[in-house]
Amino acid sequence: EKKKPLPFLPRTIGVVTSPTGAVICDILHRLHDRFPVHVLLWPVLVQGENAAAQITDAINGFQTIHERGLPKPDLLIVARGGGSLEDLMPFNEENVVRAVAASTIPVISAVGHETDTTLCDYAADLRAPTPSAAAELVSPDLSHRQERLAQLAQRLERSLHHRLALQHQSLQLL
């Protein structure tokens, strides 16, 4: 009951992850291909001694980022690629889990691979099996949307032509 709904079309997405790994490249690539949006990266360590503190600071920092003149994200993705249980431990730390749970911005946890589970996953509003899947979950496929819009436009045009033809026929009868 505490899970926040995800925005339908987020304009700005905040990403908490390493700036040098494949994860951010995968997320940016997937978003660019599907539905380009503004992405704010908060670079953090995703493993090691200082990782949990940096992840917590990033999640908390996004809550007030608008006070620094940057747009507040509509959604956060907390992401990391796969690894050993020890590598994923920062996402099990109490301060990270509490920051995710307290976030006023909806959070998607995209930590590890499909079989990996962390406490962060349970605190988040949604768990994605991979970082790329998180990007897919938050971005509609623009090409499919454009195709559907074109179909609806054709139906509308046919309907208008049909209605005009009926009106013309009624006018002729009068």
Side-chain angles (χ1 to χ4, degrees), residues 55-78:
I55 295 164
T56 301
D57 289 345
I59 295 166
N60 292 334
F62 270 126
Q63 308 305 308
T64 59
I65 198 166
H66 61 283
E67 295 171 5
R68 292 178 228 143
L70 292 170
K72 186 174 182 178
D74 302 308
L75 175 77
L76 295 181
I77 298 175
V78 177

Side-chain angles (χ1 to χ4, degrees), residues 11 19 39-40 61 83 144:
R11 285 181 270 163
V39 175
L40 295 174
H144 287 150

Side-chain angles (χ1 to χ4, degrees), residues 116-171:
D116 297 321
T117 303
T118 65
L119 294 177
C120 182
D121 295 336
Y122 294 109
D125 299 298
L126 184 68
R127 176 194 179 268
T130 64
S132 295
E136 288 180 13
L137 288 169
V138 301
S139 61
D141 190 334
L142 186 57
S143 63
H144 287 150
R145 299 280 176 183
Q146 289 171 329
E147 185 179 308
R148 178 70 177 137
L149 190 56
Q151 291 170 350
L152 291 172
Q154 285 177 343
R155 283 180 58 189
L156 180 60
E157 187 177 344
R158 282 194 303 267
S159 176
L160 287 173
H161 281 293
H162 180 69
R163 186 165 174 92
L164 283 173
L166 288 175
Q167 293 296 325
H168 181 69
Q169 197 175 39
S170 294
L171 185 61

